[in-house]
Amino acid sequence: MTRRFGAAVLRSHESRFAVEEVILNAGPADGEILVRIAGCGMCRTDLAVRRSAGRSPLPAVLGHEGAGVVVETGGPDTGLSVGDHVVLSFDSCGHCRNCLGAAPAYCDSFASLNLFGGREENAERFTDAAGGELAPRWFGQSSFAEYAMVPARNAVRVDSSLPIELLGPLGCGFLTGAGAVFNSFGLGPGDTIAVFGAGAVGLAAVMAAAAAGAVAVAVDRHPERLALAERFGAIPLRAGSAELPSQPELPSQPDLPDRIRRLTDGGAQFALDTTGSARLINDALRALRPTGHLGLVARLHTTLPLEPGALDRGRRISHICEGDAVPGLLVPRLTGLWQAGRFPFDQLIRTYPLADINEAERDCDAGRVVKPVLVPERTSG
Ligand SMILES: [Zn+2]
Ligand SMILES: [Zn+2]
């Protein structure tokens, strides 16, 4: 069955998004579902496509924090029914060693499935109104659209009483910050964590730390973001302008690690860097107590120099992808915490009509919004 609907198409790395009609030329294959998107978060990884040096194929429909309602299922084995509310997460193959080991974020095929082209099978089903091919789905979904065709494996069923249009970021950004705290660090009461960067991922980590009964210090240079971090239970710590990630040649503010050590009884047990700034990563290591663990979630674009002694005394550093999460386990945990008032992620969200996606990108780039969520208007049944 052919279905025509509105979607935000990105045609080149420089162009603006264009909301236009696209066409799906077939219904769901075995193991797939068609989802009517209620809302889709905008994540840094969507915008990084502009700097992907052509590795992510265009034209494409981006968007990988979708949530919505199942309108068709393919085959008997999706485990989902028409009308189910679902949060969509990243794609994974399901049969490599890491998928079998409940670590789907480290799937052998993660980059190809999510970032660099998607599943090849049935790719030609998705075209623009003139019949021009669009890239196979992005992160297994391509949710800046009214509809998304998704492997059922990527979809997590959620309670239909939840505000479905706001839940999409639980599939990536909020999952990343909260998963680092719950899964990678196993934070518990009395633990200490320093969070560098109070954006969507960092603030989700702050909320999760508070929910776990831990002490969090949040470092950022924007007072309004620190105010949010404080509202969610963190000790705010203003980084000076010398710590702007965009000015890596400037020297560090010498007392930042000292200030964190003083606030955490001699050093934080855990630190989470969301900035990718080499200097802040070194500051984070210096703020750790012996045996402390620093997790990185941003993609590094340069060699990472470490100061002498940075990893002494059992300190360690690791990269964390998608919060080490199995989405089917973590997403329901986060919605449960939200219902209990202990993970108020909705306070980080501003909704935009899908037609205003370029404005959402501008606001995101300028730091005027923590988490934009694009809401499609219905132009088709
Ligand atoms: Zn896999
Ligand atoms: Zn993301």
Side-chain angles (χ1 to χ4, degrees):
M1 188 193 114
T2 296
R3 188 178 288 266
R4 296 167 174 268
F5 53 91
V9 177
L10 187 69
R11 295 205 171 265
S12 77
H13 296 106
E14 305 78 33
S15 60
R16 290 155 59 87
F17 290 95
V19 177
E20 56 184 63
E21 187 179 76
V22 298
I23 301 172
L24 264 174
N25 288 305
D30 262 7
E32 290 184 326
I33 53 172
L34 183 69
V35 176
R36 189 175 65 232
I37 298 296
C40 180
M42 178 176 274
C43 173
R44 293 270 163 208
T45 309
D46 295 309
L47 307 183
V49 166
R50 297 192 181 283
R51 301 183 298 278
S52 73
R55 293 186 73 195
S56 295
L58 297 178
V61 176
L62 304 177
H64 64 283
E65 293 185 344
V69 180
V70 177
V71 293
E72 278 185 63
T73 62
D77 300 324
T78 61
L80 293 163
S81 306
V82 170
D84 280 349
H85 288 204
V86 288
V87 171
L88 308 180
S89 195
F90 56 89
D91 202 2
S92 56
C93 78
H95 48 72
C96 71
R97 286 183 67 90
N98 288 341
C99 282
L100 292 174
Y106 306 99
C107 173
D108 289 352
S109 304
F110 184 91
S112 58
L113 286 176
N114 291 291
L115 297 165
F116 302 138
R119 294 177 188 239
E120 284 307 315
E121 70 266 24
N122 301 323
E124 71 285 353
R125 291 178 303 180
F126 197 30
T127 69
D128 63 20
E133 249 184 56
L134 298 169
R137 58 195 161 203
W138 167 248
F139 274 82
Q141 43 178 298
S142 289
S143 289
F144 288 155
E146 290 178 64
Y147 290 89
M149 188 77 86
V150 186
R153 177 177 167 76
N154 304 5
V156 180
R157 182 176 26 222
V158 293
D159 195 292
S160 62
S161 67
L162 294 163
I164 188 66
E165 71 281 2
L166 302 182
L167 299 188
L170 295 178
C172 185
F174 298 155
L175 174 114
T176 295
V181 164
F182 291 136
N183 298 326
S184 318
F185 299 152
L187 223 67
D191 277 332
T192 48
I193 181 171
V195 177
F196 288 74
V201 173
L203 289 170
V206 162
M207 290 180 194
V215 175
V217 178
V219 180
D220 203 290
R221 59 195 162 92
H222 296 295
E224 64 280 11
R225 297 215 166 182
L226 286 176
L228 278 174
E230 189 171 20
R231 190 203 299 174
F232 302 133
I235 302 167
L237 194 54
R238 180 98 185 261
S241 58
E243 281 132 7
L244 289 171
S246 58
Q247 298 177 324
E249 73 283 2
L250 293 175
S252 177
Q253 192 171 293
D255 66 341
L256 184 62
D258 278 345
R259 286 151 73 201
I260 293 170
R261 283 197 297 268
R262 277 200 298 275
L263 291 167
T264 55
D265 192 25
Q269 187 64 45
F270 301 99
L272 184 70
D273 179 76
T274 69
T275 70
S277 150
R279 206 185 42 258
L280 284 178
I281 289 168
N282 276 281
D283 280 351
L285 285 168
R286 286 171 54 219
L288 287 178
R289 63 184 304 104
T291 74
H293 179 184
L294 167 63
L296 310 179
V297 296
R299 192 165 288 272
L300 297 174
H301 296 284
T302 59
T303 305
L304 174 64
L306 292 182
E307 289 164 13
L311 293 174
D312 284 3
R313 305 185 69 198
R315 292 181 180 86
R316 65 195 168 105
I317 183 170
S318 68
H319 192 269
I320 298 170
C321 186
E322 301 284 0
D324 286 337
V326 174
L329 296 177
L330 186 54
V331 170
R333 193 170 172 190
L334 297 180
T335 56
L337 283 171
W338 179 79
Q339 285 173 308
R342 295 171 66 195
F343 191 74
F345 67 88
D346 55 307
Q347 295 182 30
L348 305 180
I349 288 174
R350 186 194 301 171
T351 58
Y352 297 75
L354 182 60
D356 292 346
I357 184 169
N358 292 300
E359 186 188 334
E361 179 178 9
R362 272 197 307 276
D363 288 352
C364 200
D365 272 341
R368 284 192 289 269
V369 57
V370 177
K371 175 58 73 179
V373 166
L374 285 312
V375 176
E377 305 102 289
R378 299 279 149 235
T379 58
S380 64

